[in-house]
Structure formats: structure tokens, C-alpha cells
Amino acid sequence: MLVFPRVIWVILVVLACQTFAIEGGAQDQMPSAVAGVAEFSPYPLRPPRLDSPRATLESFLRHATQAIERRQAEAPLAAIRRSFRRAMLCLDLRKFPLATREGTGFEKVLLLKEILDRIALPPFEEIPDLAAVEQTGLTSWRLPDTELTLDRIAEGPRAGEFVFNSRTVQALERFYELSKHLPYKPGTTVGAYEDFLYGPGPLLSTAWVDALPAWTHNVVVQQTLWQWIAWLLLLAGVVAATLLVYRLGTWWDERFRDVSVWLQLGRPLTGVFVILAMMMASKVMDDGINLTGNVWIVSRFALDVARYAAGAWLAVLIIKRIGRGIINTRQLLPERLNAQLIRTVANLVAVVVVIYIAVIGAEVFGIPVAPLIAGLGIGGLAIALAVRPTLENIIGGFILFADKPIRVGDFCSFGEKRGTVEAIGMRSTRIRALDRTVITVPNAEFSNMQLINWALCDRMLILRTIGLRYETKPEQTRHVLAKLREMCLAHPKIDKDSLRIRFVGYGASAQEIQIRIYALTRDWNEFYAIQEDVFLRIGEIVEESGTGFARPSQTLYVTRDPGMDEARSAEAMQEVQGWRTAGRLPFPRMAPALQERLEDTLDYPPRGSPDAFNPEALEKEASEPLSSEAEEDLKEEEGKEKKKNKPEAKQTEG
């Protein structure tokens, strides 16, 4: 399945290379039919001499005559273009757009040649040469009795060369209209400009065009009818082919939408086809149909705009497809910050590429780029001030991506609210609160908050302070403390290393014992089940110790006080006295041997519970994990820690 798209890409690349190479290769070799007009020189790469008005005029007449003769002899296109380009060096074409400079230059060369073939020229000996230029410091010279002026280029890589200035070049159509009634001088090329206007280009045979009906040679709006018909047929064919390829590309992409983004090559290939089609249409229009004048300029401009637009569309499409491919390859959820960041970066890169292509197109079309960039700078400053809050939120999104304080699916606290993160976007973060409402917080504000990520905790805290009645004897308090510690050490779901149960002081109405223990779970349901079990056992221990929980002193209960259980009080005090006598009093800490003997000996789930006979049922209970990803990360860390500790354990045993 992957071979077919690669073959298509290779074929299109080859076609593109062939399109760019049409003017090269064997066409540079001139056949013997035009050998008589070839410029045989031991220095074929030497540019024409332009160091004086005489040298420029001689070079122009020689190369322009050679180009016309080669064109009339139907020489290879590369040879014709080479002669025309040498003649164009004698003209100042810098004010013409790059996109149309060469085609316009061909027409200007023919116009100037037509004018020079009709008007009287001074003897070449009277035209200033290099010696006269160096002697007089000449910078401008005009043909006698004309407005045809040659200026010396003052700076740049062509400094010192004499060329027909831009005012002369731009006025050549008007000069031609004023001089076309004059007869041709002997030995000049006759009708070259008329042949250029209404004849075919080098890609079409003149005999084919001459065989067309006479009415197709009528001139309508600067072009013959056969040129208009050929141009309309070419446009219709390009548009029809483009629509067909686009439909096929869309069908192909839809077919592989759920398979792989890398196989969705339909629309990218459509963009490549449009670019090649516009290039081929331009070549056929220039060297086949041979449109000229304003019609050619407008048509060429439209084709180039379509080509650059297709290139920009193709670049955006490819960049976005690459972003989607990275997201799919890494199997990122669409709402995660990583995926949104990849999409945002792809969009920014696409915008930069489009701007770059637009700047290149503006230069090619002759649009001044510097004022445009200056205007964009001022406008960009105004836009930046207007969208400052949005930019702050985007920067906040990047901060969340870099620091990763939370991830999608994490349960967190922010401010006075809690909830589960559902999506982290570039502008805002959405959180599902405990009441099932959705809270949307801008990233600029969210990134500056104090965030508590519950998903990163490896165990869950149980922190409570219980109060015993003030009538409780110290030995009873010790009994309660010891039994609480024994219960927590024996509980399989309580962390033993961080256990802390202490008598912390005398409150307003009770002797206060603080219990700080960690439940070995990361699931809310299991946490509340463990906490419930611990609280019930605390009540049993307090009751067994013969004391009770203190009531708030602000509440007045009118009842008969049963008093303390004297028998149980005596038993508790006797047991503590026995610990003291045997040297096993667990204060200020419990003996290590007793800790090891008590560890995980308490029945949990408690005896009599259905889960006591089926412990695996607890794992099947509907869970409320703090984070699925953090759970996996924690398991990996625990696995690494176990592997790390294995050698040490073996060494200790040995």
C-alpha cells in the first residue's frame, strides 16, 4: 500500500525536473540550417561590450539581428533565447517586474530593432567610443534627432556600462507608432515585430498556423483569433484537469482517513499537479501560442499568482499533515497539551512559510516589499497590543507545557476549587469540578496559581484529631495510644514508615490525640473504605480502654452520666503496668521486634466482610484514580526501585 504513493511522488518529481529542464540539454546544439547565423567566437561566454555608446549600439544590432534570424529559421528555443538575452543586456529593464521581465524584454528588443531599422543612424565613427568616454567623462548620449538615450550605469555590478535608459525602453511603443510608416533600410530584417505579434512561438510550427482558416488570423484586442481560441482551450483544459485531480485526491484522502495520515497523499499531489500545470501553461502561452502585450502580462500574472497560491497551500497542507502524523505516531490524545502544542507550532510554521512565499511573490511581481514590511510592522504592533491577553494565555500554555505541573486526567486543586483536568489548550484549561460542572480558566491566570496535583501523590493522607474525656487516666491514654499504634502497624493498607500517633495536648474540652497516617492507595473509593475501617477500629479501641470521646463543651447534655467502666479501667491500667514491669512499655516508641510481629497481622477487609473471603473483589470495584498516566509512572518507578534494591538484599543475606 505504501509503494504506490512513493511511485507517484517519484513520477511527479521526474516530471517537475523535466519541466524545469525544457530549455537545456541538446537544444543548445544548433543544427546546420542556422549555422550561417551562428556567432562563431573563441569566447562564447564573453558578454557583449557595453563600455561606450558605440559598443552598446553595435552589440544590440548584432545580437538582435541574430535572434531574429534564428527565430525566422526556427532554430532551437535555447539558441533563440540566448541571442535575445544578449540583446536585452543593452536595455535597462530594472523597473519591470521579474515575473514579466524576460517576456517584456523580448518585445522591447524587437521594437527597438524595428525603430533602428527605419530611422537614419549617424556613422559609427561619430558615435562616442571608449576613448571618447574616458577623455570627456561622458555619462549620457542621445541618438541625433531622436529621444533614444543611452545612460551610463553609475553603481552596482554593472557600473560603467551604457544601456538604453528606462525612459527610452518604456516609450518604445510610442516611438514605434511614430516611425512605423518609414520604410526599412536596405539589409535589415523586415516584418520581425509583426511576425512576433501574430505568429506562433517556437513550440508551434508556422506551417500549422498558416494552414488555419483566414478568419482565425483576424486581430481582436492585440491578438489573433486563433491565439484567443488556443488560449481559452488551454485554460479550460488546465481547469478541468485540476478539478478532476482535486476530486481524485479528496477521494483518496477520505479512503485512508482512518488508516494512516502518511497515506493521505491526494491533496498534496493535487498541489504539486497545480504547480506543474501552471508552469506548463505559462510555457505553452509564451513559446507556443505566443501571447503578447497587455494580454500576455495579465495572463502571466494570473498564472503566477495561481502557482504561488498553490505552493503556499501545498506548504501549509504538508506542514499540518506532518504535525498530525507526529501526533498519531506518538498516540497523543487530541485534547492533551502536547498535541495542541504540536498543532500550534505547525500552524505558526505554516504562517511563516506563507509569508515567505508571499514576499517572494511580491518581489517577482514588482511590488515594493520594504514599505509593505514597514506597514506590517506598525500594524503588527497595533495588533499585538489588541491581542495582548490572548498572547499572555498562549505564553501561559507554553509554561504549562514546559513545567508540566498537571496533565489531562489529573485531579488537582487550584484556589478554592478542585476537579479533574479534561483539556489543556493553548488559550485555556478546562476542569471538571466535583459537582460535574466544567470550569474554564485562562492559561495566563492558571499558570500563576498555586496548583496542587493530587495525581502525583503515592499515598493518601488520613489526618484526624480525636478527643478523649478529661476523666481519662494517664494509663488509659497510654493504652489507647498503644492500641492505636498496634492497629495501624497491623493494618495491611497503612504505611508503617510514616505512621505518627501522638498525644498532642489538652484542648478546650478534651485530651487531644492526633492521628497522621497514610493509606496505601491512589484510588478515592478505596481510600474512603480504608479510612472508614480505621475510624471504626479507633472507636472500638477507645471503648475497650474504658474511656470515651469528649463532647464539645459548648453543648449541654442533661442526662444521667453512666460514669467510667471501673472494671475495664482496671484491666487497662493493669495491662500497662504489666508492660512497664516487663520492660515493654511502647513509649516514646515501640520496640522493633514488636513492630515486625504486628506488621500486616490485622484482618483487612475485616472478618465477617464479603471481601474478607474474596480480596480480589476490591480491585474490581469502580475506581476513581487520581491519574491514569501518573499511576503507570509510579509503577515504573516502583519497579526500578525494586530492581535497585535486589542486589543489596542478596548481599545482606549473604
Side-chain angles (χ1 to χ4, degrees):
M1 185 177 294
L2 296 175
V3 176
F4 178 72
R6 294 176 181 175
V7 172
I8 295 297
W9 276 107
V10 171
I11 293 175
L12 288 176
V13 170
V14 172
L15 290 177
C17 295
Q18 291 296 325
T19 302
F20 288 112
I22 284 178
E23 299 178 4
Q27 292 181 349
D28 289 336
Q29 303 297 328
M30 295 182 56
S32 58
V34 292
V37 296
E39 182 183 0
F40 293 102
S41 170
Y43 308 104
L45 301 181
R46 177 181 293 174
R49 284 189 57 193
L50 305 174
D51 52 13
S52 66
R54 182 191 300 180
T56 299
L57 189 59
E58 289 178 343
S59 297
F60 175 78
L61 291 175
R62 180 172 67 255
H63 293 296
T65 301
Q66 184 184 79
I68 293 171
E69 290 178 350
R70 286 179 171 179
R71 191 173 187 277
Q72 291 175 345
E74 297 186 359
L77 181 59
I80 299 173
R81 287 183 180 274
R82 185 165 58 249
S83 297
F84 267 111
R85 286 167 181 162
R86 285 176 175 265
M88 286 165 54
L89 291 174
C90 304
L91 309 179
D92 187 356
L93 301 172
R94 290 176 294 178
K95 291 189 176 181
F96 292 93
L98 288 174
T100 59
R101 182 173 296 175
E102 183 167 336
T104 304
F106 288 180
E107 187 171 354
K108 297 297 184 180
V109 168
L110 292 173
L111 281 170
L112 182 57
K113 181 64 168 56
E114 287 282 332
I115 296 171
L116 296 179
D117 284 347
R118 297 173 187 269
I119 65 174
L121 297 177
F124 275 86
E125 294 78 9
E126 298 179 6
I127 301 176
D129 58 1
L130 179 59
V133 170
E134 293 176 348
Q135 183 178 0
T136 62
L138 186 69
T139 59
S140 180
W141 181 80
R142 186 174 62 184
L143 266 71
D145 302 322
T146 69
E147 297 182 43
L148 304 176
T149 306
L150 289 87
D151 288 342
R152 188 178 186 180
I153 299 176
E155 57 185 5
R158 299 184 61 187
E161 296 181 357
F162 279 87
V163 294
F164 288 92
N165 61 29
S166 59
R167 293 189 303 274
T168 298
V169 174
Q170 291 175 351
L172 286 177
E173 286 83 357
R174 179 169 59 87
F175 296 158
Y176 172 73
E177 293 296 329
L178 294 175
S179 62
K180 68 179 182 180
H181 65 282
L182 299 176
Y184 286 98
K185 294 183 296 186
T188 57
T189 54
V190 178
Y193 183 61
E194 295 291 331
D195 293 341
F196 171 76
L197 288 179
Y198 308 124
L203 295 180
L204 292 180
S205 174
T206 306
W208 295 353
V209 176
D210 293 340
L212 295 174
W215 61 269
T216 60
H217 295 274
N218 295 330
V219 178
V220 178
V221 192
Q222 300 179 346
Q223 310 297 320
T224 59
L225 285 176
W226 75 264
Q227 289 174 314
W228 281 115
I229 294 172
W231 176 230
L232 293 176
L233 290 176
L234 177 63
L235 284 182
V238 170
V239 172
T242 301
L243 292 176
L244 177 61
V245 172
Y246 179 78
R247 287 182 178 274
L248 291 175
T250 303
W251 170 81
W252 180 272
D253 288 350
E254 291 294 332
R255 179 182 178 185
F256 291 97
R257 176 179 296 275
D258 299 328
V259 179
S260 172
V261 68
W262 304 114
L263 290 176
Q264 297 178 21
L265 298 173
R267 290 182 180 175
L269 291 177
T270 302
V272 175
F273 174 81
V274 171
I275 295 174
L276 296 178
M278 294 302 107
M279 294 171 60
M280 293 299 296
S282 297
K283 189 161 191 66
V284 173
M285 180 186 68
D286 294 347
D287 300 328
I289 303 173
N290 193 32
L291 295 182
T292 57
N294 294 330
V295 176
W296 174 80
I297 292 176
V298 173
S299 301
R300 182 59 182 269
F301 179 80
L303 291 176
D304 286 344
V305 168
R307 179 161 58 91
Y308 279 96
W313 178 71
L314 177 62
V316 171
L317 199 62
I318 291 176
I319 293 171
K320 288 189 175 182
R321 290 284 173 85
I322 291 175
R324 284 176 52 195
I326 295 174
I327 293 173
N328 293 345
T329 302
R330 299 182 62 183
Q331 297 181 349
L332 300 176
L333 294 178
E335 65 272 9
R336 291 193 181 276
L337 181 59
N338 293 7
Q340 297 199 27
L341 183 63
I342 291 173
R343 285 195 294 267
T344 301
V345 171
N347 291 335
L348 291 176
V349 173
V351 170
V352 172
V353 171
V354 169
I355 293 176
Y356 177 73
I357 293 176
V359 170
I360 293 178
E363 292 182 352
V364 171
F365 299 143
I367 301 174
V369 179
L372 182 62
I373 294 177
L376 289 176
I378 298 174
L381 179 61
I383 294 174
L385 293 175
V387 300
R388 182 178 61 84
T390 302
L391 293 177
E392 290 178 352
N393 291 328
I394 292 176
I395 294 173
F398 278 102
I399 293 174
L400 292 176
F401 172 78
D403 289 347
K404 290 185 175 61
I406 56 172
R407 291 181 291 186
V408 174
D410 291 355
F411 183 84
C412 66
S413 299
F414 57 101
E416 298 180 354
K417 301 178 181 179
R418 292 183 178 185
T420 302
V421 181
E422 287 197 343
I424 304 176
M426 294 308 301
R427 197 201 69 82
S428 62
T429 299
R430 294 198 306 273
I431 298 174
R432 179 74 65 176
L434 296 178
D435 58 359
R436 305 306 298 166
T437 58
V438 176
I439 304 173
T440 301
V441 186
N443 286 338
E445 178 183 348
F446 193 69
S447 60
N448 291 325
M449 287 184 175
Q450 182 180 5
L451 302 178
I452 301 175
N453 192 344
W454 295 89
L456 298 180
C457 67
D458 53 355
R459 61 206 68 180
M460 303 183 74
L461 175 66
I462 300 176
L463 179 63
R464 288 293 184 275
T465 300
I466 63 173
L468 301 181
R469 297 168 61 108
Y470 263 112
E471 295 87 346
T472 305
K473 302 294 191 294
E475 300 297 326
Q476 287 179 291
T477 304
R478 291 188 177 93
H479 186 273
V480 171
L481 290 171
K483 291 299 181 179
L484 289 177
R485 293 169 186 169
E486 290 179 2
M487 181 269 294
C488 292
L489 284 171
H491 204 293
K493 285 294 184 178
I494 299 299
D495 180 60
K496 282 70 179 176
D497 297 332
S498 58
L499 185 148
R500 188 180 71 189
I501 300 175
R502 292 293 178 183
F503 175 49
V504 294
Y506 298 94
S509 58
Q511 299 181 25
E512 295 180 345
I513 297 177
Q514 187 183 74
I515 301 173
R516 194 210 68 179
I517 55 179
Y518 287 95
L520 298 176
T521 182
R522 302 183 68 252
D523 182 86
W524 281 114
N525 278 345
E526 187 177 10
F527 167 74
Y528 282 112
I530 297 171
Q531 182 176 256
E532 177 186 85
D533 182 76
V534 169
F535 288 169
L536 291 174
R537 294 180 188 274
I538 290 174
E540 293 174 354
I541 291 173
V542 172
E543 184 179 357
E544 290 174 358
S545 299
T547 183
F549 294 105
R551 296 182 176 91
S553 60
Q554 290 83 359
T555 303
L556 178 63
Y557 292 91
V558 181
T559 182
R560 183 184 297 274
D561 189 355
M564 298 177 59
D565 191 333
E566 296 296 335
R568 291 186 176 181
S569 298
E571 290 178 3
M573 289 187 290
Q574 184 178 358
E575 186 175 0
V576 172
Q577 188 62 35
W579 295 344
R580 192 189 303 276
T581 303
R584 293 186 292 106
L585 190 68
F587 301 98
R589 63 184 181 84
M590 189 176 293
L594 182 58
Q595 292 184 25
E596 294 180 2
R597 182 167 58 85
L598 291 174
E599 186 172 354
D600 294 342
T601 58
L602 197 64
D603 56 327
Y604 181 83
R607 190 167 49 250
S609 169
D611 295 330
F613 303 100
N614 186 17
E616 297 180 355
L618 288 176
E619 301 179 0
K620 298 180 181 179
E621 184 179 2
S623 62
E624 294 181 20
L626 294 174
S627 173
S628 57
E629 284 196 7
E631 184 78 25
E632 296 175 359
D633 296 344
L634 184 61
K635 290 180 179 179
E636 292 181 3
E637 293 178 2
E638 291 177 352
K640 293 179 181 178
E641 189 68 23
K642 289 180 180 179
K643 291 181 180 179
K644 180 179 178 182
N645 294 333
K646 278 184 179 180
E648 297 179 359
K650 291 181 180 179
Q651 185 176 0
T652 304
E653 292 174 1

